[in-house]
Amino acid sequence: MLTLSPHAKINLSLEVLGKRRDGYHELVSVMQTVTLSDELRVEDAPDIELTCRHAEISGADNLVFLAARLTRQRFGVVRGARLELLKTIPVAAGLGGGSSDGASALVALDRVWGLRAGCRALSDIAEQLGSDVPFFLYGGTALVEGRGERVARLPDSTRSWYLLACPSVRVSTARIFSSLPPSAWTDGSTTRRLAADPTRTRQPAVGVNALQETLFRVFPETRSCFDAVHRLAPGRALVSGSGPTVFAAFSTCEEALAARRALAGQPLWTAVAASHHPEPGELPCA
Ligand code: C5P
């Protein structure tokens, strides 16, 4: 039995450059994996079987299941696998949980089936699974461009601590992108500056999120969570991805825990997580 920990991500900065001919949006983002993670257990079996206690994500459209089907097709594998997914990362929350689970399934099946597929081949399958999936084959801090498929590792930043807060609203990424006005498009320079900033490795830094205002407009009930976190960490709070999770960056664990305590009693899921950097060899593209 192989057990992996699919990590959540936050977008330290996310800009949208414009809309592409294929309907997707051209992005520039700095993405960071954090210590918050799910658990994925994988073992060889005659057929592909997925178990997950979350009924709503245990169907055939779960990215873990799709990763297994695509990998089998691509490499002509005749064996199956038993996959068990234990969720901790909130679902449809902007933390990339489903994408990370899918990427971990690719990594696990590559090992369990002895494929030795390598970064390039796994990235091809990851791209078919979803725009955020290729990043999770790298992990750590990365500059992500295109639809999400162009990933360049950045130097590890100093350990930062993040308060994560999520209201109980499920957000459809497709809905946010389809509601995004062209006035939210920018040239990516803020995000590229953050990626290149050498002080980023010494102090926690956050950039901008082009999707944030559209999230608040389409799902107005998500704004109060942002306001609450922003009051605790002015200038260091941002929505992650298409939301609704809001994160705030801190230099120490104590500060992040104190901010979390200040949110107690509010109807929010909250957690404190640190930046995560994979060990050499832990991930195929790291
Ligand atoms: O790639 P993925 O299936 O995760 O994307 C979900 C939806 O988000 C897409 O259907 C698309 O509407 C939108 N999207 C986009 N541009 C991106 C990534 C996602 O428009 N770069």
Side-chain angles (χ1 to χ4, degrees):
M1 165 99 69
L2 180 62
T3 302
L4 295 185
S5 302
H7 288 272
K9 62 82 180 163
I10 52 176
N11 299 80
L12 294 175
S13 192
L14 168 60
E15 284 177 82
V16 175
L17 307 189
K19 196 157 181 191
R20 301 156 36 130
R21 287 223 184 104
D22 62 7
Y24 284 87
H25 290 77
E26 191 71 13
L27 309 178
V28 182
S29 182
V30 173
M31 289 172 70
Q32 170 72 58
T33 43
V34 295
T35 49
L36 176 74
S37 64
D38 290 337
E39 190 175 306
L40 180 67
R41 299 180 188 158
V42 182
E43 62 186 349
D44 211 8
D47 298 307
I48 299 174
E49 294 165 40
L50 170 64
T51 53
C52 174
R53 284 212 198 107
H54 267 65
E56 64 185 303
I57 55 162
S58 54
D61 55 352
N62 185 300
L63 292 187
V64 168
F65 191 77
L66 289 175
R69 291 228 334 238
L70 282 178
T71 308
R72 256 203 343 184
Q73 269 170 24
R74 166 82 182 251
F75 296 99
V77 175
V78 289
R79 291 142 74 184
R82 193 170 300 120
L83 303 122
E84 188 183 2
L85 178 61
L86 297 124
K87 289 298 293 179
T88 301
I89 306 170
V91 174
L95 293 169
S99 301
S100 188
D101 296 339
S104 282
L106 294 178
V107 173
L109 293 170
D110 180 62
R111 290 191 200 149
V112 167
W113 290 337
L115 303 175
R116 297 175 173 275
C119 174
R120 177 74 65 86
L122 293 179
S123 294
D124 281 351
I125 306 176
E127 201 182 319
Q128 289 180 57
L129 287 173
S131 305
D132 278 351
V133 183
F135 161 72
F136 288 105
L137 299 174
Y138 294 75
T141 320
L143 181 67
V144 177
E145 293 176 273
R147 204 192 109 198
E149 77 288 2
R150 295 209 310 274
V151 185
R153 273 297 300 272
L154 293 170
D156 287 355
S157 39
T158 186
R159 183 161 253 226
S160 299
W161 294 87
Y162 299 101
L163 164 67
L164 308 173
C166 182
S168 58
V169 182
R170 300 276 160 94
V171 165
S172 147
T173 302
R175 176 113 187 259
I176 298 298
F177 274 108
S178 64
S179 309
L180 190 74
S183 58
W185 299 350
T186 49
D187 66 0
S189 57
T190 304
T191 303
R192 288 183 205 287
R193 245 193 329 272
L194 179 73
D197 181 0
T199 66
R200 185 183 54 78
T201 57
R202 295 197 292 274
Q203 64 195 35
V206 303
V208 293
N209 183 343
L211 307 179
Q212 190 162 295
E213 284 307 318
T214 299
L215 171 74
F216 299 153
R217 183 165 50 78
V218 178
F219 297 92
E221 64 275 37
T222 61
R223 191 188 281 273
S224 62
C225 174
F226 176 80
D227 290 344
V229 176
H230 183 258
R231 270 195 297 276
L232 295 167
R236 282 178 294 151
L238 206 63
V239 167
S240 180
S242 54
T245 299
V246 178
F247 68 90
F250 298 92
S251 305
T252 67
C253 182
E254 288 69 29
E255 287 171 279
L257 288 171
R260 185 186 186 204
R261 280 194 298 276
L263 293 179
Q266 301 211 30
L268 299 170
W269 169 92
T270 60
V272 166
S275 46
H276 167 261
H277 296 286
E279 300 294 326
E282 184 183 326
L283 291 170
C285 303

